[in-house]
DNA sequence: CTCCGAGTTTGGATCGTTCCAAATGCGGCA
DNA sequence: TGCCGCATTTGGAACGATCCAAACTCGGAG
């Protein structure tokens, strides 16, 4: 039966040491499970730690040891389920390794990204996992975080020219191969006039996905009309609004490879508004395999990226880097897999 | 043109002080924008700070000032878009207030919750926002985090008996009113035999939602058959599997108020498998308004909870508490709003 | 009876910042 | 010249942990 007297002041090592008549150093050794300390002393100290309700001050320890116990995770969009799952994966591994996750959201703004990085870096994380905001550049990022802290870039490349002393690891999806698979699948279904729809060409992931599409089209000897490549913000709403552009000029496409699932779902909406039934009159594919993809009408053919696993992987890559700061820079490309659902129908026989 | 010499050792106040011939104290004053320091000196120091690429060590400052600059966010399920948006909202406000978010995911396990809380507390957050794992108790939570750090509970109550010295703020959704609205809406549509489907009665939110349903039914003078209340895990899969239970005994319900959207989507699946068309032969409502709700077939009538706004609100409530630790405990109930979509059809005229 | 060494314990300095009381410089006034 | 007050600057002691070299205890060997 322990009586808990609500205390204002925080309990420190010295309090515990005084409480059981040993020195601070001894208590410190007990805390860290050192084999040096005598069994009997250890028991006494541990009892006293419990009794006083001591809580370890990791900040103080980190200061003295010049270590860090946190890893920063900076995301361009946490409201996107893809990144939310990614974050969950990161946090799991980071936690297992005894670190704590410092979270920062940039809402796709490179200005906020700088502010967030600046604020996080002051807390001295051991490393940073960054999924850059659209249009953020290497110079910006380096200016905000310095070159001291190991960086793992996820999902996107940084724009701008790279100072030659800059180096970081990268984990990206195999965007190009993914859209190539999707395009080939549509071609195999019998489509010849295939569009590439949505996204902003400023993003590196856009350029890669578009390259996969172009590659597949060219390999099949199919030509690409200019108006089949329509850019829009990677959101449902903007995608729906831009649908008309696909059909502005003849010949109209019979299928589209979309930049991602959000865009594909928006395109479905836009098609319906024009009286076209997605999955019957027009085929389309997405990218990401968000939860809604399987639930939409028709269910969406897309590319799964296993965001939770990618999160774990990102954290593991960063931990590897922490263990060996001098190792050569790694660029990891994670595979993606085509999931065929009803949205990628054969062309309608008109 | 600045030449960046890659330095291993971290730059400290003393380095800068030495670099421009003033004392550490003066540099510290400059950093904090004190009006005491001479204009000319300030300029010189700021130049030197830039030149050396100084980065502030907030941990050291916090140690000295006995302050904290972080807020811990502990979530039972970050892969749920509802919580992901909530987290984004929290992080935005926390960031604006000059704090940093410490993230912890518990994956709905109260054991992990204890571990996560224990780890986070060592970093000395100014406060904690906790959405408890299922079945986590007040004693557990208090044991892991002590009574020193202000706690804001989100979404769920803690189980177990409360020690009388325990007190914390609460932000919850108006569960009871929400399901009452949904039930009344179904009654207005003409339904008389309405079920309450899904969720675990161990959760406080379940009991509240069920109470709202019961209340509405009783007010309307409608009776509730025992087999119309079917529990299941709040996941799509389990909901689909439990669908049969609703129809095991006569009279079968013609509509169901579901515990949440995941359950409702699962029920739709289950209904389809029985040859019932949701939104035509059977009406149903959800809770949460996750993104899929608007996209499902038929679109799901549900209750919106504005998770992003709830996140902001949670953070603001906690900041308020930090400003006035002695203020009376608050229990905030956030309103929810009924969104009527196609799933809540009138009863089929058989 | 002294000395040795293994097993434990400990005081004091240190990490990078902030606080505080005291020191410094300097123009003005008696 | 001496003293006051204002504006600025500063050395040294914190904050709560860890590191390190030195010290203590004690049984056994010489």
């Amino acid at each position: 039966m322990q009586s808990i007297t609500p205390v204002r002041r925080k309990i420190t090592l010295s309090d515990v040491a005084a409480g059981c008549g040993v020195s601070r150093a001894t208590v410190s050794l007990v805390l860290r499970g050192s084999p040096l300390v005598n069994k009997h002393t250890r028991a006494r100290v541990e009892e006293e730690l419990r009794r006083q309700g001591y809580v370890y001050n990791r900040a103080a320890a980190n200061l003295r040891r010049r270590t860090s116990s946190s890893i920063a995770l900076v995301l361009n969009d946490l409201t996107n389920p893809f990144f939310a799952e990614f974050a969950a994966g990161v946090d799991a591994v980071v936690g297992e390794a005894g670190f704590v996750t410092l979270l920062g959201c940039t809402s796709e703004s490179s200005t906020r990204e700088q502010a967030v990085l600046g604020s996080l870096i002051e807390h001295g994380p051991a490393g940073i996992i960054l999924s850059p905001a659209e249009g953020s550049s290497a110079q910006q990022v380096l200016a905000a975080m310095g070159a001291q802290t190991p960086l793992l870039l996820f999902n996107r490349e940084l724009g701008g020219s790279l100072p030659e002393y800059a180096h970081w690891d990268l984990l990206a999806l195999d965007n190009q191969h993914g859209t190539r698979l999707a395009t080939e699948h549509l071609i195999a279904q019998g489509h010849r006039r295939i569009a590439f729809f949505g996204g902003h060409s400023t993003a590196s992931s856009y350029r890669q996905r578009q390259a996969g599409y172009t590659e597949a089209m060219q390999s099949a000897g199919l030509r690409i009309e200019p108006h089949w490549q329509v850019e829009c913000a990677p959101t449902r709403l903007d995608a729906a609004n831009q649908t008309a552009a696909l059909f502005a000029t003849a010949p109209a496409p019979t299928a589209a490879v979309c930049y991602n699932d959000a865009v594909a779902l928006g395109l479905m909406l836009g098609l319906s508004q024009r009286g076209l039934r997605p999955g019957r009159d027009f085929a389309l594919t997405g990218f990401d395999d968000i939860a809604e993809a399987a639930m939409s009408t028709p269910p969406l053919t897309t590319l799964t990226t296993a965001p939770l696993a990618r999160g774990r992987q990102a954290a593991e890559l960063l931990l590897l880097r922490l263990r060996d700061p001098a190792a050569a820079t790694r660029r990891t490309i994670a595979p993606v897999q085509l999931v065929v659902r009803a949205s990628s129908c054969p062309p309608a026989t008109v």
Side-chain angles (χ1 to χ4, degrees), chain A residues 6 8-9 17 27 37 48 56 84 102 177 184 233 268 317 344 348:
Chain A
R8 279 285 141 252
R9 205 172 54 76
V27 180
V37 31
E48 186 70 12
Y56 190 68
L102 297 177
H177 188 236
E184 287 172 349
M268 283 194 190
L317 284 169
S344 55

Side-chain angles (χ1 to χ4, degrees), chain A residues 81-260:
Chain A
F82 172 77
F83 289 109
E85 287 209 29
F86 176 80
V90 169
D91 184 65
V93 171
V94 162
E96 282 162 23
F99 289 84
V100 107
T101 306
L102 297 177
L103 180 67
C105 301
T106 65
S107 311
E108 210 64 277
S109 144
S110 70
T111 315
R112 273 191 60 74
E113 183 175 285
Q114 286 215 255
V116 165
L117 283 173
S119 158
L120 289 178
I121 207 75
E122 294 184 349
H123 290 84
I128 301 189
I129 297 177
L130 168 67
S131 170
E134 227 175 74
S136 95
S137 74
Q139 294 93 326
Q140 275 184 323
V141 168
L142 283 172
M145 56 167 277
Q148 304 289 345
T149 311
L151 173 66
L152 180 115
L153 219 56
F154 174 66
N155 199 44
R156 289 180 182 164
E157 306 266 8
L158 286 176
S161 63
L162 318 183
E164 82 282 357
Y165 60 84
H167 57 294
W168 48 71
D169 299 308
L170 173 79
L171 173 62
L173 301 175
D174 199 343
N175 287 308
Q176 182 162 351
H177 188 236
T179 45
R180 179 174 186 145
L181 287 176
T183 312
E184 287 172 349
H185 165 63
L186 289 172
I187 295 172
Q189 292 283 57
H191 293 276
R192 293 296 169 260
R193 306 199 300 278
I194 305 175
F196 182 80
F197 188 74
H200 280 315
S201 60
T202 46
S204 62
S205 56
Y206 176 95
R207 293 191 297 276
Q208 293 162 359
R209 292 178 191 185
Q210 195 217 33
Y213 155 79
T214 309
E215 189 182 38
M217 291 295 274
Q218 285 176 348
S219 299
L222 299 174
R223 57 167 310 194
I224 300 174
E225 299 289 336
H227 73 278
W228 293 351
Q229 303 204 37
V230 177
E231 289 190 31
C232 73
T235 67
R236 213 166 287 189
L237 189 65
D238 204 37
N241 291 336
Q242 294 300 316
T243 305
L246 280 180
F247 303 97
T249 329
T254 64
V257 171
C258 295
Y259 170 71
N260 69 10

